[in-house]
PDB file of all heavy atoms in Angstrom:
ATOM      1  N   SER A 219      -8.673  -7.124 -13.144  1.00 86.00           N
ATOM      2  CA  SER A 219      -9.703  -7.488 -14.116  1.00 86.00           C
ATOM      3  C   SER A 219      -9.105  -8.385 -15.186  1.00 86.00           C
ATOM      4  O   SER A 219      -7.906  -8.663 -15.199  1.00 86.00           O
ATOM      5  CB  SER A 219     -10.245  -6.223 -14.788  1.00 86.00           C
ATOM      6  OG  SER A 219      -9.201  -5.607 -15.506  1.00 86.00           O
ATOM      7  N   GLY A 220      -9.955  -8.799 -16.139  1.00 87.00           N
ATOM      8  CA  GLY A 220      -9.477  -9.611 -17.261  1.00 87.00           C
ATOM      9  C   GLY A 220      -8.685  -8.731 -18.224  1.00 87.00           C
ATOM     10  O   GLY A 220      -8.765  -7.498 -18.162  1.00 87.00           O
ATOM     11  N   LEU A 221      -7.951  -9.350 -19.140  1.00 78.00           N
ATOM     12  CA  LEU A 221      -7.064  -8.613 -20.041  1.00 78.00           C
ATOM     13  C   LEU A 221      -7.827  -7.615 -20.908  1.00 78.00           C
ATOM     14  O   LEU A 221      -7.442  -6.454 -21.035  1.00 78.00           O
ATOM     15  CB  LEU A 221      -6.278  -9.602 -20.908  1.00 78.00           C
ATOM     16  CG  LEU A 221      -5.318  -8.963 -21.899  1.00 78.00           C
ATOM     17  CD1 LEU A 221      -4.235  -8.152 -21.187  1.00 78.00           C
ATOM     18  CD2 LEU A 221      -4.655 -10.027 -22.774  1.00 78.00           C
ATOM     19  N   GLN A 222      -8.952  -8.070 -21.519  1.00 83.00           N
ATOM     20  CA  GLN A 222      -9.652  -7.191 -22.447  1.00 83.00           C
ATOM     21  C   GLN A 222     -10.179  -5.940 -21.750  1.00 83.00           C
ATOM     22  O   GLN A 222      -9.996  -4.823 -22.212  1.00 83.00           O
ATOM     23  CB  GLN A 222     -10.801  -7.966 -23.114  1.00 83.00           C
ATOM     24  CG  GLN A 222     -11.168  -7.424 -24.489  1.00 83.00           C
ATOM     25  CD  GLN A 222      -9.948  -7.259 -25.415  1.00 83.00           C
ATOM     26  OE1 GLN A 222      -9.137  -8.162 -25.551  1.00 83.00           O
ATOM     27  NE2 GLN A 222      -9.796  -6.101 -26.034  1.00 83.00           N
ATOM     28  N   GLU A 223     -10.785  -6.151 -20.592  1.00 86.00           N
ATOM     29  CA  GLU A 223     -11.307  -5.003 -19.825  1.00 86.00           C
ATOM     30  C   GLU A 223     -10.157  -4.064 -19.448  1.00 86.00           C
ATOM     31  O   GLU A 223     -10.260  -2.839 -19.543  1.00 86.00           O
ATOM     32  CB  GLU A 223     -12.015  -5.513 -18.566  1.00 86.00           C
ATOM     33  CG  GLU A 223     -12.827  -4.429 -17.876  1.00 86.00           C
ATOM     34  CD  GLU A 223     -13.273  -4.841 -16.474  1.00 86.00           C
ATOM     35  OE1 GLU A 223     -13.379  -6.055 -16.208  1.00 86.00           O
ATOM     36  OE2 GLU A 223     -13.486  -3.939 -15.662  1.00 86.00           O
ATOM     37  N   GLY A 224      -9.030  -4.662 -19.045  1.00 80.00           N
ATOM     38  CA  GLY A 224      -7.863  -3.873 -18.662  1.00 80.00           C
ATOM     39  C   GLY A 224      -7.333  -3.060 -19.824  1.00 80.00           C
ATOM     40  O   GLY A 224      -6.942  -1.899 -19.661  1.00 80.00           O
ATOM     41  N   LEU A 225      -7.306  -3.662 -21.000  1.00 80.00           N
ATOM     42  CA  LEU A 225      -6.778  -2.948 -22.169  1.00 80.00           C
ATOM     43  C   LEU A 225      -7.654  -1.749 -22.532  1.00 80.00           C
ATOM     44  O   LEU A 225      -7.147  -0.668 -22.831  1.00 80.00           O
ATOM     45  CB  LEU A 225      -6.677  -3.901 -23.366  1.00 80.00           C
ATOM     46  CG  LEU A 225      -5.539  -4.929 -23.265  1.00 80.00           C
ATOM     47  CD1 LEU A 225      -5.614  -5.918 -24.426  1.00 80.00           C
ATOM     48  CD2 LEU A 225      -4.176  -4.255 -23.227  1.00 80.00           C
ATOM     49  N   TYR A 226      -8.982  -1.937 -22.466  1.00 84.00           N
ATOM     50  CA  TYR A 226      -9.880  -0.805 -22.767  1.00 84.00           C
ATOM     51  C   TYR A 226      -9.666   0.314 -21.769  1.00 84.00           C
ATOM     52  O   TYR A 226      -9.614   1.489 -22.108  1.00 84.00           O
ATOM     53  CB  TYR A 226     -11.352  -1.249 -22.743  1.00 84.00           C
ATOM     54  CG  TYR A 226     -11.759  -2.011 -23.979  1.00 84.00           C
ATOM     55  CD1 TYR A 226     -12.419  -3.213 -23.898  1.00 84.00           C
ATOM     56  CD2 TYR A 226     -11.481  -1.490 -25.257  1.00 84.00           C
ATOM     57  CE1 TYR A 226     -12.784  -3.924 -25.025  1.00 84.00           C
ATOM     58  CE2 TYR A 226     -11.843  -2.188 -26.396  1.00 84.00           C
ATOM     59  CZ  TYR A 226     -12.495  -3.412 -26.279  1.00 84.00           C
ATOM     60  OH  TYR A 226     -12.843  -4.095 -27.402  1.00 84.00           O
ATOM     61  N   PHE A 227      -9.525  -0.063 -20.522  1.00 85.00           N
ATOM     62  CA  PHE A 227      -9.334   0.925 -19.452  1.00 85.00           C
ATOM     63  C   PHE A 227      -8.029   1.689 -19.672  1.00 85.00           C
ATOM     64  O   PHE A 227      -7.968   2.909 -19.578  1.00 85.00           O
ATOM     65  CB  PHE A 227      -9.323   0.199 -18.102  1.00 85.00           C
ATOM     66  CG  PHE A 227      -9.455   1.117 -16.931  1.00 85.00           C
ATOM     67  CD1 PHE A 227     -10.697   1.626 -16.572  1.00 85.00           C
ATOM     68  CD2 PHE A 227      -8.353   1.485 -16.183  1.00 85.00           C
ATOM     69  CE1 PHE A 227     -10.826   2.484 -15.486  1.00 85.00           C
ATOM     70  CE2 PHE A 227      -8.468   2.342 -15.103  1.00 85.00           C
ATOM     71  CZ  PHE A 227      -9.710   2.838 -14.759  1.00 85.00           C
ATOM     72  N   GLU A 228      -6.984   0.930 -20.005  1.00 83.00           N
ATOM     73  CA  GLU A 228      -5.682   1.547 -20.261  1.00 83.00           C
ATOM     74  C   GLU A 228      -5.777   2.540 -21.424  1.00 83.00           C
ATOM     75  O   GLU A 228      -5.238   3.646 -21.361  1.00 83.00           O
ATOM     76  CB  GLU A 228      -4.668   0.447 -20.581  1.00 83.00           C
ATOM     77  CG  GLU A 228      -3.270   0.962 -20.866  1.00 83.00           C
ATOM     78  CD  GLU A 228      -2.383  -0.154 -21.403  1.00 83.00           C
ATOM     79  OE1 GLU A 228      -2.490  -0.462 -22.622  1.00 83.00           O
ATOM     80  OE2 GLU A 228      -1.619  -0.720 -20.620  1.00 83.00           O
ATOM     81  N   ARG A 229      -6.489   2.148 -22.484  1.00 83.00           N
ATOM     82  CA  ARG A 229      -6.582   3.037 -23.652  1.00 83.00           C
ATOM     83  C   ARG A 229      -7.256   4.354 -23.297  1.00 83.00           C
ATOM     84  O   ARG A 229      -6.802   5.434 -23.685  1.00 83.00           O
ATOM     85  CB  ARG A 229      -7.374   2.341 -24.770  1.00 83.00           C
ATOM     86  CG  ARG A 229      -6.482   1.410 -25.546  1.00 83.00           C
ATOM     87  CD  ARG A 229      -7.227   0.439 -26.405  1.00 83.00           C
ATOM     88  NE  ARG A 229      -6.430  -0.775 -26.474  1.00 83.00           N
ATOM     89  CZ  ARG A 229      -6.803  -1.889 -27.066  1.00 83.00           C
ATOM     90  NH1 ARG A 229      -7.979  -1.983 -27.653  1.00 83.00           N
ATOM     91  NH2 ARG A 229      -6.007  -2.938 -27.087  1.00 83.00           N
ATOM     92  N   LYS A 230      -8.350   4.247 -22.538  1.00 89.00           N
ATOM     93  CA  LYS A 230      -9.072   5.464 -22.132  1.00 89.00           C
ATOM     94  C   LYS A 230      -8.133   6.389 -21.341  1.00 89.00           C
ATOM     95  O   LYS A 230      -8.062   7.591 -21.595  1.00 89.00           O
ATOM     96  CB  LYS A 230     -10.280   5.072 -21.271  1.00 89.00           C
ATOM     97  CG  LYS A 230     -11.111   6.244 -20.812  1.00 89.00           C
ATOM     98  CD  LYS A 230     -12.252   5.804 -19.945  1.00 89.00           C
ATOM     99  CE  LYS A 230     -11.881   5.390 -18.540  1.00 89.00           C
ATOM    100  NZ  LYS A 230     -11.333   6.391 -17.649  1.00 89.00           N
ATOM    101  N   ASN A 231      -7.401   5.811 -20.409  1.00 88.00           N
ATOM    102  CA  ASN A 231      -6.514   6.637 -19.580  1.00 88.00           C
ATOM    103  C   ASN A 231      -5.320   7.167 -20.375  1.00 88.00           C
ATOM    104  O   ASN A 231      -4.823   8.262 -20.110  1.00 88.00           O
ATOM    105  CB  ASN A 231      -6.029   5.841 -18.365  1.00 88.00           C
ATOM    106  CG  ASN A 231      -7.066   5.850 -17.257  1.00 88.00           C
ATOM    107  OD1 ASN A 231      -8.080   6.533 -17.374  1.00 88.00           O
ATOM    108  ND2 ASN A 231      -6.824   5.100 -16.209  1.00 88.00           N
ATOM    109  N   PHE A 232      -4.888   6.388 -21.363  1.00 84.00           N
ATOM    110  CA  PHE A 232      -3.788   6.853 -22.220  1.00 84.00           C
ATOM    111  C   PHE A 232      -4.225   8.111 -22.979  1.00 84.00           C
ATOM    112  O   PHE A 232      -3.520   9.114 -23.014  1.00 84.00           O
ATOM    113  CB  PHE A 232      -3.376   5.741 -23.187  1.00 84.00           C
ATOM    114  CG  PHE A 232      -2.293   6.172 -24.131  1.00 84.00           C
ATOM    115  CD1 PHE A 232      -0.981   6.326 -23.686  1.00 84.00           C
ATOM    116  CD2 PHE A 232      -2.560   6.440 -25.465  1.00 84.00           C
ATOM    117  CE1 PHE A 232       0.024   6.743 -24.545  1.00 84.00           C
ATOM    118  CE2 PHE A 232      -1.571   6.848 -26.333  1.00 84.00           C
ATOM    119  CZ  PHE A 232      -0.268   6.993 -25.871  1.00 84.00           C
ATOM    120  N   TYR A 233      -5.434   8.069 -23.568  1.00 84.00           N
ATOM    121  CA  TYR A 233      -5.932   9.260 -24.272  1.00 84.00           C
ATOM    122  C   TYR A 233      -6.014  10.437 -23.316  1.00 84.00           C
ATOM    123  O   TYR A 233      -5.694  11.561 -23.654  1.00 84.00           O
ATOM    124  CB  TYR A 233      -7.329   9.014 -24.860  1.00 84.00           C
ATOM    125  CG  TYR A 233      -7.366   8.039 -26.015  1.00 84.00           C
ATOM    126  CD1 TYR A 233      -8.416   7.136 -26.151  1.00 84.00           C
ATOM    127  CD2 TYR A 233      -6.366   8.041 -26.986  1.00 84.00           C
ATOM    128  CE1 TYR A 233      -8.457   6.245 -27.204  1.00 84.00           C
ATOM    129  CE2 TYR A 233      -6.398   7.147 -28.045  1.00 84.00           C
ATOM    130  CZ  TYR A 233      -7.454   6.253 -28.152  1.00 84.00           C
ATOM    131  OH  TYR A 233      -7.492   5.383 -29.182  1.00 84.00           O
TER     132      TYR A 233
END
Side-chain angles (χ1 to χ4, degrees):
S219 63
L221 180 62
Q222 207 51 49
E223 192 193 335
L225 287 174
Y226 283 130
F227 193 79
E228 180 190 80
R229 278 165 211 175
K230 181 182 75 65
N231 278 354
F232 178 74
Y233 291 142

